[in-house]
Amino acid sequence: MKRGIYIMLLGLALMWTSKSLKAQESIDFNFDWEFILSQDSLTGRDYQAMVNTKDWEQVRLPHDWVIKGSFDSTLVNTAPATGYIYGGGLGWYKKTFDLDLNDTQEAFILFDGVYNNSDVWINGQHLGFHPYGYSPFFYDLTPHLNKNGNDNVIVVRIDHTRYADSRWYTGAGIYRNVSLVVKNKVDIPIWGTFVTTPKVSAERAEVSVQSTIVNHFKKSHKGSLETQIVAPNGTIVATSETKYDLEEGQEKTLVQTFEINNPVLWGIFDPNLYQAVTTVTCKKLKNTTTTTFGIRDFNFDPNTGFSINGENYKIKGVCLHHDAGLVGTAVPKGVWRRRLEILKEGGTNAIRIAHNPGSNEFLDLCDEMGFLVQDEFFDEWDNPKDKRLNQNEQHDDYESRGYAEHFQKWAEKDLKSVILSHRNHPSIIQWSIGNEIEWTYPRNANATGYFNNMNWNGNYFWQPPPFSTDEIKKQLATLPKAKYDMATTAKKLAGWTKEMDTTRPVIANSILPSASHLSGVGDVLDIMGYSYRRVLYDYGHKNYPNQVIMGTENLAQYHEWKAIMERPFIAGTFLWTGIDYMGEIRGPWPTKGTLSGLLDYAGFKKSSFFMMKSLWQEEPSIHIATQTLPQSINRIDEQSGQLVAQDAEAWKTALWEWHEVNNHWNYKVGEVISIEMYSNCEEIELFLNGESQGKRSLNEFEDHIYKWGVAFQPGELKAVGSLKSKIIEEVLYTTTEPVAIQLTVDQHGLKADAYDVAHIVAQLVDAQGHPVKTQEAKIKFEIEGQLRMLGIDNGAGDNVQDHYASEIVTDQGRALFIVQSLKETGKAVVSVASEALESNKIIIEIE
């Protein structure tokens, strides 16, 4: 089997290098592109002028042209949308290729995502305009290819002159994968297969494969459609063949049903994947489509929450934007894999892709790794959101106009394209039609009583609605409606979603659910998502007992998870966020983004990660955090002499960012240090240089944070904890001056496919080999061999050093450098140069 796959791939590679592409189901179209960026709004829009330009740069896709730019403090007016990196302009991509088609074949170009406002030409023929940056789309190239098959030119223009058109960093360019799809004229069209599992048990599963077949010949044709179900171990477990007869131009949908005995199910811990291999035969023509799917059964219940394959689980989710820090939005699969592996280590089992549909490659990873996914369609509906100040929703300037400009014309097409493209991913358990839309409809916001209400001055984060349900109904009935009504739009979006897929519930992320429940929005949703409204869980369950409720945007704080664990009717949560992201800035320069992530920009773990790990994982864990007493949120209690919170109630309303703590043991001798531990251990004993500082139990701490106040002495700080008879230790050492840079890598071997990546972490260490986290150094990465640099970062929220550089000043003594393979094999060496520090070398074999 492996030999056969190898021969097939070798054949494709030889075929590619000869630039003569034969008929295949799907061909990688990411290589050998050219790029040019124009800031001339007149000449830069002219097709002929730009195609004839000589100054093209060689690039490969996916490509984000913005991330290589420098941070600029003068861009403060658009920083919430850009992260202080200017990304405007007209980007042009060009590719010349040969394609050998016969008269029974047709070819399509498939884009998984282009940001944004793209126009595409083939051989000078305009194929179409596509405004949305997150929905996949394709064009038929067949009628416009050169007759001899040679020197076809595909051109893509991206208009990102509206460079502040989002509330976060978007990047710009052809930032997702592109494929050339070659099919027979009688075949299954792109996205034409839909696999569902209507009945699932441990003993038997029913699999339904719905295949659309189209006849693009100018006469009728008949043939057969055969589908084989291939189990995760590679064995064929079921086969079905169906005859078809198609008139000229006719399209039919054929449904084949299979019974699978003793299926291996897809789940959080065992993400088993099947394949439906469907072959369309028409006379001598034959083409095969392979669809990966999972057999699973899940359910949301208004009283018991979420269950999958008959077992009840809490959704332990995080929200993720589509950028990955130093590499921008053109994120290699290996970069996402590392980040998702770290999140999984912390107990995360679900991802909300915020606030836009994800890439198919990202969803592939979620399928493979066992993440539950909420796939979200839109952040804007009829009305725009302001991109500069999140509370002021109305604006009228050119550069910040976003998808709302196109929503009326394009929403249905984009939504349905996303579902068609994504519907076979078993990881997806929810379709979200929108995110916090209520702000953009003043009637819905004002009806709650939170705003424009002179008789109320509370905090809507923590207090129930000032208006009763009857009063909210009255307000909704009397407040004037604008041009567009939120409930009407929600009904359309939910209807389009159900038209395409009834196997998953429809949800929306509601920032003001007290109004959305009553405005008609709740009537069209299967699940009402509460955004920062855990204080309303009981209110919602009492007033709307038949509505499924869950948190869909919440804080990475103990009080959020405690509220969910105490309520079996709440299915779970998605924390804001899993990883820090650029844009949506609420702090002064040089803050470049939102710092609420469990991981920082480089994917390093933050304190909140360890808190959530202690809540979400069953294996014992301890993390030690330290801080000088004056800078901490704690104090020494005069009566007991123990460390306690300055405000015993503050933890109950803690917001996005974790309080400032360190993970080192380097202070002034004698000063009292606040020591916190985030742990699920039942008890912990703390030792300083072998001397016990006392044993404490988790049930002593209402806020789930162990606390000690200890006078600093250099040496070893060790915590010894136990959970269900398992003993673990965590140690911090006082460090001395750094004497070296220690390099570590996650992949010692890469494939020579120009996709595979390695993450190299540089850490300052002292003479004992302990990581030095209190001193910094300027370091320079050097590469020898067949690797290319993708980016550099130290993870800090205020790091505005260039991402596309080889030099960086460390933060906490560390930095991350990402490299990617090329298409040549050999041995590559990565090292670090520093004025005063030596380092080891990383050797990577490229095979």
Side-chain angles (χ1 to χ4, degrees):
M1 183 72 176
K2 289 183 178 178
R3 177 177 173 80
I5 294 172
Y6 174 79
I7 291 171
M8 180 185 72
L9 292 176
L10 179 61
L12 282 174
L14 292 172
M15 183 172 60
W16 181 266
T17 56
S18 69
K19 292 189 71 179
S20 179
L21 303 183
K22 301 295 181 182
Q24 300 291 332
E25 176 65 20
S26 182
I27 299 163
D28 186 337
F29 217 51
N30 285 334
F31 294 91
D32 302 319
W33 287 79
E34 298 174 278
F35 172 74
I36 192 168
L37 179 63
S38 172
Q39 298 295 342
D40 186 331
S41 60
L42 296 177
T43 304
R45 296 180 188 278
D46 185 82
Y47 172 85
Q48 206 60 52
M50 295 306 296
V51 169
N52 293 334
T53 301
K54 304 298 183 184
D55 301 326
W56 292 85
E57 170 193 356
Q58 297 295 316
V59 298
R60 54 147 298 187
L61 309 180
H63 180 248
D64 173 5
W65 83 62
V66 183
I67 197 62
K68 290 186 179 181
S70 295
F71 293 94
D72 184 350
S73 62
T74 67
L75 300 176
V76 63
N77 191 41
T78 56
T82 64
Y84 287 104
I85 305 178
Y86 175 75
L90 295 151
W92 290 79
Y93 293 85
K94 182 175 67 171
K95 178 181 174 68
T96 302
F97 66 100
D98 297 344
L99 181 57
D100 185 11
L101 291 182
N102 60 47
D103 58 6
T104 68
Q105 297 171 328
E106 49 193 9
F108 304 83
I109 187 167
L110 171 61
F111 297 92
D112 198 42
V114 177
Y115 206 90
N116 62 352
N117 297 314
S118 66
D119 286 273
V120 181
W121 290 262
I122 178 70
N123 296 328
Q125 177 67 42
H126 186 246
L127 295 176
F129 168 71
H130 189 84
Y132 197 31
Y134 300 108
S135 59
F137 60 101
F138 60 89
Y139 296 114
D140 185 358
L141 305 180
T142 316
H144 316 295
L145 295 170
N146 293 329
K147 290 184 179 180
N148 62 5
N150 297 328
D151 298 324
N152 297 286
V153 179
I154 190 97
V155 175
V156 181
R157 182 185 69 196
I158 295 167
D159 184 349
H160 201 232
T161 54
R162 292 176 171 178
Y163 60 93
D165 63 344
S166 177
R167 296 184 299 117
W168 54 84
Y169 173 89
T170 63
I174 308 178
Y175 72 104
R176 292 181 181 173
N177 289 321
V178 180
S179 300
L180 181 70
V181 182
V182 180
K183 288 181 169 292
N184 292 323
K185 289 187 176 180
V186 173
D187 211 339
I188 298 173
I190 293 172
W191 311 330
T193 305
F194 187 21
V195 183
T196 58
T197 55
K199 297 178 181 177
V200 177
S201 70
E203 296 76 29
R204 190 182 71 86
E206 180 182 307
V207 176
S208 175
V209 180
Q210 176 182 301
S211 301
T212 299
I213 306 181
V214 63
N215 176 19
H216 286 161
F217 284 107
K218 293 184 177 179
K219 60 181 180 179
S220 62
H221 278 279
K222 61 178 62 177
S224 67
L225 178 141
E226 181 186 61
T227 300
Q228 296 177 330
I229 304 298
V230 182
N233 64 5
T235 61
I236 299 171
V237 294
T239 302
S240 178
E241 185 175 7
T242 305
K243 302 294 183 182
Y244 67 83
D245 191 344
L246 293 171
E247 299 297 322
E248 174 190 347
Q250 188 179 9
E251 181 180 292
K252 281 186 179 179
T253 298
L254 305 178
V255 179
Q256 297 169 310
T257 303
F258 305 84
E259 286 193 5
I260 310 298
N261 293 321
N262 303 312
V264 285
L265 304 183
W266 186 93
I268 297 168
F269 301 107
D270 296 295
N272 298 296
L273 295 172
Y274 284 76
Q275 288 185 325
V277 182
T278 303
T279 301
V280 177
T281 303
C282 176
K283 295 181 179 179
K284 294 182 179 181
L285 302 180
K286 185 178 286 189
N287 207 8
T288 297
T289 301
T290 299
T291 305
T292 301
F293 70 98
I295 298 175
R296 83 283 189 269
D297 176 65
F298 66 88
N299 181 57
F300 286 91
D301 184 272
N303 296 307
T304 59
F306 173 74
S307 62
I308 184 168
N309 301 327
E311 293 190 53
N312 190 266
Y313 290 98
K314 289 293 188 184
I315 292 175
K316 304 170 182 178
V318 297
C319 303
L320 289 180
H321 270 305
H322 71 301
D323 77 285
L326 59 165
V327 298
T329 58
V331 188
K333 191 174 183 180
V335 172
W336 275 130
R337 184 182 296 279
R338 171 182 176 262
R339 291 170 174 235
L340 292 178
E341 285 174 346
I342 297 170
L343 289 171
K344 191 120 188 168
E345 176 195 333
T348 302
N349 64 21
I351 306 293
R352 173 175 173 238
I353 306 176
H355 302 292
N356 45 260
S359 70
N360 270 290
E361 191 167 62
F362 182 85
L363 291 168
D364 287 342
L365 270 176
C366 293
D367 294 343
E368 296 165 17
M369 300 177 71
F371 284 98
L372 309 168
V373 171
Q374 181 192 111
D375 207 1
E376 191 156 64
F377 299 136
F378 306 118
D379 187 54
E380 291 185 341
W381 289 359
D382 303 299
N383 303 314
K385 291 183 177 179
D386 186 71
K387 314 309 187 299
R388 294 192 171 93
L389 181 63
N390 207 24
Q391 301 300 314
N392 179 16
E393 298 302 333
Q394 305 304 317
H395 68 94
D396 191 27
D397 52 26
Y398 177 83
E399 60 267 24
S400 68
R401 290 181 175 270
Y403 186 68
E405 293 281 291
H406 305 284
F407 182 82
Q408 303 303 323
K409 180 178 179 180
W410 284 89
E412 180 178 7
K413 181 177 177 60
D414 286 327
L415 182 151
K416 290 182 176 181
S417 293
V418 169
I419 294 178
L420 285 169
S421 177
H422 293 181
R423 59 186 176 174
N424 292 310
H425 289 283
S427 54
I428 297 175
I429 59 165
Q430 297 173 340
W431 299 117
S432 171
I433 59 174
N435 167 63
E436 296 183 3
I437 301 295
E438 294 99 328
W439 293 128
T440 64
Y441 297 87
R443 170 175 166 268
N444 292 66
N446 294 336
T448 64
Y450 285 120
F451 316 106
N452 299 325
N453 179 4
M454 62 185 297
N455 297 316
W456 185 82
N457 62 353
N459 185 314
Y460 77 102
F461 262 89
W462 311 118
Q463 293 183 252
F467 286 168
S468 67
T469 54
D470 287 340
E471 179 62 23
I472 293 173
K473 288 179 185 177
K474 179 181 175 182
Q475 293 290 325
L476 288 168
T478 57
L479 286 168
K481 289 186 177 182
K483 180 179 180 180
Y484 300 110
D485 176 64
M486 183 177 173
T488 302
T489 300
K491 184 176 181 180
K492 283 195 302 186
L493 295 172
W496 293 333
T497 305
K498 294 293 187 183
E499 182 184 329
M500 305 303 293
D501 179 20
T502 58
T503 70
R504 298 171 174 94
V506 176
I507 189 172
N509 179 32
S510 177
I511 191 73
L512 298 170
S514 59
S516 290
H517 275 295
L518 293 168
S519 66
V521 174
D523 297 337
V524 303
L525 298 176
D526 301 305
I527 305 174
M528 181 70 78
Y530 279 25
S531 177
Y532 308 109
R533 292 295 176 272
R534 60 103 173 146
V535 71
L536 296 187
Y537 288 159
D538 293 333
Y539 166 95
H541 188 57
K542 176 184 177 181
N543 289 298
Y544 313 100
N546 297 319
Q547 179 88 65
V548 177
I549 295 170
M550 68 171 290
T552 44
E553 194 165 313
N554 299 97
L555 306 158
Q557 300 284 352
Y558 172 56
H559 64 77
E560 289 278 21
W561 189 243
K562 183 175 184 290
I564 290 167
M565 290 303 295
E566 291 172 346
R567 293 165 176 81
F569 57 86
I570 298 297
T573 183
F574 292 98
L575 303 178
W576 193 262
T577 57
I579 307 173
D580 291 348
Y581 63 95
M582 290 192 290
E584 207 166 2
I585 297 167
R586 291 181 172 84
W589 170 267
T591 303
K592 63 185 178 186
T594 299
L595 308 181
S596 58
L598 304 183
L599 310 180
D600 67 22
Y601 292 106
F604 295 137
K605 301 167 186 174
K606 298 167 66 176
S607 297
S608 54
F609 170 90
F610 294 101
M611 169 55 86
M612 298 315 300
K613 181 179 181 179
S614 76
L615 301 171
W616 284 357
Q617 283 287 39
E618 295 184 2
E619 288 298 308
S621 64
I622 299 175
H623 177 74
I624 303 173
T626 64
Q627 184 58 276
T628 60
L629 195 60
Q631 290 182 282
S632 79
I633 63 170
N634 302 311
R635 63 180 176 85
I636 299 296
D637 181 68
E638 292 182 359
Q639 291 185 338
S640 67
Q642 292 183 332
L643 189 75
V644 297
Q646 291 181 24
D647 181 350
E649 301 293 308
W651 69 272
K652 296 179 181 179
T653 54
L655 290 172
W656 287 275
E657 293 184 31
W658 200 257
H659 54 279
E660 186 177 346
V661 289
N662 305 311
N663 183 229
H664 64 73
W665 191 239
N666 280 67
Y667 295 97
K668 294 179 182 179
V669 174
E671 72 176 327
V672 178
I673 302 302
S674 166
I675 301 172
E676 297 182 348
M677 294 189 201
Y678 317 131
S679 174
N680 57 1
C681 288
E682 295 157 334
E683 59 179 20
I684 295 176
E685 186 169 9
L686 179 65
F687 297 87
L688 177 57
N689 296 327
E691 183 177 337
S692 177
Q693 305 299 303
K695 181 183 290 187
R696 311 213 54 183
S697 299
L698 185 58
N699 58 20
E700 298 177 47
F701 302 100
E702 188 184 14
D703 59 0
H704 201 82
I705 298 176
Y706 280 94
K707 299 176 186 67
W708 280 266
V710 176
F712 176 76
Q713 292 295 328
E716 176 193 77
L717 186 71
K718 180 168 71 174
V720 180
S722 63
L723 176 64
K724 297 178 181 178
S725 300
K726 289 186 178 180
I727 307 296
I728 63 166
E729 296 182 356
E730 184 71 11
V731 181
L732 292 180
Y733 296 98
T734 303
T735 56
T736 54
E737 291 292 314
V739 299
I741 304 166
Q742 183 181 66
L743 299 181
T744 56
V745 66
D746 63 341
Q747 302 289 337
H748 287 280
L750 299 180
K751 300 171 187 173
D753 59 3
Y755 286 106
D756 221 358
V757 298
H759 296 78
I760 298 156
V761 175
Q763 175 69 60
L764 306 186
V765 295
D766 65 11
Q768 287 71 44
H770 300 315
V772 177
K773 303 177 182 179
T774 56
Q775 298 184 55
E776 311 303 343
K778 186 175 184 178
I779 60 177
K780 181 177 182 180
F781 285 88
E782 297 176 344
I783 299 173
E784 299 175 34
Q786 297 300 313
L787 292 172
R788 72 164 182 152
M789 177 186 69
L790 283 188
I792 194 170
D793 198 359
N794 62 23
D798 59 357
N799 173 39
V800 288
Q801 301 171 81
D802 284 1
H803 288 132
Y804 199 73
S806 57
E807 288 187 339
I808 194 167
V809 176
T810 60
D811 180 73
Q812 299 182 57
R814 67 190 176 188
L816 173 71
F817 189 62
I818 303 180
V819 294
Q820 188 171 51
S821 68
L822 301 176
K823 285 192 171 183
E824 298 181 32
T825 61
K827 184 181 292 185
V829 179
V830 180
S831 59
V832 169
S834 175
E835 289 185 2
L837 304 174
E838 297 291 329
S839 87
N840 60 317
K841 294 183 177 182
I842 295 295
I843 297 174
I844 299 175
E845 297 285 348
I846 305 166
E847 301 174 347

